[in-house]
């Protein structure tokens, strides 16, 4: 261990920041951050999810997701319909679809770069760690 810090939380958070930085660097040309790209992609995949459903799916608190969605709305990439306090739905706009199309190849390049850096075993371990921790945390 290079930094001598045995704290699993601190080390996982540091690794997550490093991976986030790599994705953001690759996505720079698209004008999106990885958090924005992931939120857009998940909203598209879920086909108009509610705020709570999308928050669970992307692993964010509802308030954090709401702040992030305001940025995507200001960019014209999503429309949030419904009333606050009621069920609101998130729909990706045509402009958002174009941003996803532009960012997709850049995301894939970042994904492949990180998978190459980590190798198959560590890449698979990351997915397994997430699954184990999600199961331990129980339903949200």
């Amino acid at each position: 261990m290079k930094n001598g810090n045995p704290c699993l939380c601190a080390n996982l958070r540091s690794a997550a920041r490093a991976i986030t930085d790599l994705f953001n660097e690759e996505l720079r040309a698209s004008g999106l951050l990885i958090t924005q790209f992931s939120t857009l992609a998940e909203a598209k995949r879920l086909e108009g999810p509610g705020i709570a459903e999308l928050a669970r799916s992307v692993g964010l608190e509802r308030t954090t997701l709401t702040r992030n969605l305001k940025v995507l709305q200001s960019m014209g990439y999503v429309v949030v319909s419904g009333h606050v306090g009621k069920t609101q739905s998130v729909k990706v706009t045509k402009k958002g679809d174009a941003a996803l199309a532009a960012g997709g190849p850049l995301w894939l390049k970042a994904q492949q770069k990180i998978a190459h850096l980590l190798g198959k075993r560590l890449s698979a371990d990351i997915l397994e760690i997430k699954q184990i921790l999600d199961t331990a945390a129980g339903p949200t």
Side-chain angles (χ1 to χ4, degrees):
M1 188 173 345
K2 288 183 182 177
N3 67 4
N5 184 349
C7 178
L8 291 173
C9 183
N11 281 286
L12 283 171
R13 289 173 60 91
S14 179
R17 280 191 299 276
I19 288 174
T20 297
D21 290 347
L22 287 168
F23 270 99
N24 285 340
E25 182 60 34
E26 291 297 332
L27 284 168
R28 184 182 312 265
S30 74
L32 291 169
L33 298 172
I34 187 59
T35 51
Q36 295 166 332
F37 181 84
S38 297
T39 300
L40 270 178
E42 197 61 7
K44 183 72 174 178
R45 184 186 75 78
L46 294 172
E47 299 178 349
I51 299 284
E53 178 185 8
L54 185 56
R56 276 190 304 276
S57 190
V58 296
L60 294 174
E61 296 289 330
R62 287 176 60 166
T63 55
T64 302
L65 176 63
T66 299
R67 280 194 309 273
N68 293 353
L69 286 172
K70 285 182 182 179
V71 174
L72 291 172
Q73 280 182 286
S74 72
M75 297 166 89
Y77 293 162
V78 298
V79 172
V80 179
S81 58
H83 300 290
V84 176
K86 303 281 184 184
T87 301
Q88 293 178 290
S89 63
V90 180
K91 293 200 176 20
V92 178
T93 64
K94 287 183 182 182
K95 191 173 178 182
D97 284 335
L100 281 171
L106 302 172
W107 174 89
L108 183 58
K109 183 178 176 186
Q111 182 84 355
Q112 291 170 336
K113 180 188 267 188
I114 292 166
H116 178 75
L117 283 170
L118 296 177
K120 286 183 181 182
R121 183 183 63 81
L122 288 176
S123 295
D125 286 350
I126 288 172
L127 299 175
E128 186 176 352
I129 289 166
K130 183 189 180 309
Q131 185 176 20
I132 289 167
L133 295 175
D134 284 350
T135 301
T140 55

